[in-house]
Amino acid sequence: MTRPHAAPAGPDADTTGRPAAPGDGTTPAVTPPAELRRHLAARLDGAARAWFDQALDEATAHPGTHGPISVWELRLAEAGRRCGPEHADTARVLILHAARADAEALTRVYYQGTADERRAVLHALPHLVPGPEALPLVEDALRTNDTRLVAAALGPYGARHLDAHAWRHAVLKCLFTGVAVDLVADLARRARGDAELARMLGDYAAERTAAGRTVPEDLHRVLALTEAAPTQGAGGPDVPHGKES
């Protein structure tokens, strides 16, 4: 099966290095859905709250796909206008959760959606996809120049499923593009004792110094993390493996 290609990022894509964190004080990828819902409900006005409750009821009653496009997918497109841009990520994640969107549905929404909708899909992955089936979405986001997508791709789902090679290069991309490493999930655990990441960071720092450019402070922070001893007994694809690059 041919994988659909992502549409151009469009006017809402962020390539300017604006802050990548959500605007309402929550982190949708790591906050439990029940807590997200309480947080959002307390911040919406009457009209927005009524729309949001209806959107969740529709998604719960008609999960999956019904017809050419499901009603909850239409609500994803409306979330920014109805709830305000500062709450849109949270609203979209909760609609996806209520719809019990699986990897196939999330892939469709991601490739057909705007950059804002793609970011919400990435935030929803840890809540909805236990295995690596949605990893191609993370990999696609990491190929973009949208700093908000890059940051969302490096949430808990990416931390669990990116292999060492891809994860190291994603961390370097954060340094290239100005994404704060504070937004990289499980950074300390994954960087711990990673000699290959340390080598890559050292090479990058040397290149910038030779070119008369400053070395990002975040680089020094990550480099310090690599000097700690690796956790004993850890396993899985998210644990660095020696000199793999």
Side-chain angles (χ1 to χ4, degrees):
M1 179 177 178
T2 302
R3 186 182 304 156
H5 294 289
D12 56 354
D14 183 354
T15 60
T16 63
R18 289 183 294 169
D24 67 355
T26 62
T27 305
V30 300
T31 306
E35 185 178 338
L36 278 178
R37 184 168 183 176
R38 288 192 298 270
H39 178 95
L40 182 59
R43 286 159 176 78
L44 296 179
D45 63 24
R49 173 74 179 272
W51 176 88
F52 176 64
D53 287 343
Q54 180 181 348
L56 290 187
D57 289 343
E58 291 169 341
T60 301
H62 302 289
T65 304
H66 296 268
I69 187 168
S70 55
V71 65
W72 56 264
E73 290 182 64
L74 297 174
R75 301 297 173 250
L76 294 176
E78 298 175 16
R81 176 166 55 88
R82 297 285 192 168
C83 297
E86 70 274 24
H87 302 306
D89 276 351
T90 299
R92 290 184 176 113
V93 167
L94 288 168
I95 292 169
L96 289 166
H97 188 265
R100 302 191 293 279
D102 59 13
E104 181 179 354
L106 292 166
T107 297
R108 182 180 65 253
V109 171
Y110 179 91
Y111 282 110
Q112 294 179 353
T114 65
D116 288 339
E117 290 160 31
R118 293 176 195 175
R119 188 174 66 254
V121 168
L122 295 167
H123 286 317
L125 292 180
H127 303 302
L128 294 169
V129 186
E133 306 93 291
L135 190 56
L137 305 185
V138 172
E139 294 167 341
D140 180 84
L142 290 172
R143 288 192 292 268
T144 73
N145 291 320
D146 185 326
T147 57
R148 295 175 301 171
L149 285 182
V150 172
L154 289 171
Y157 189 84
R160 282 202 299 267
H161 296 294
L162 283 169
D163 65 24
H165 172 81
W167 185 81
R168 290 174 186 132
H169 284 278
V171 171
L172 281 179
K173 181 155 188 173
C174 288
L175 300 174
F176 298 155
T177 60
V179 173
V181 297
D182 287 340
L183 299 173
V184 179
D186 290 342
L187 175 66
R189 179 177 61 83
R190 291 211 56 170
R192 187 180 295 116
D194 190 341
E196 177 61 16
L197 178 59
R199 182 196 65 77
M200 294 167 68
L201 293 170
D203 289 349
Y204 178 52
E207 290 172 5
R208 291 188 65 90
T209 300
R213 305 177 68 184
T214 59
V215 176
E217 182 59 34
D218 272 356
L219 186 148
H220 297 296
R221 293 177 57 199
V222 179
L223 189 59
L225 292 173
T226 68
E227 295 172 358
T231 302
Q232 295 299 315
D238 53 339
V239 178
H241 299 290
K243 285 291 184 180
E244 179 188 352
S245 61

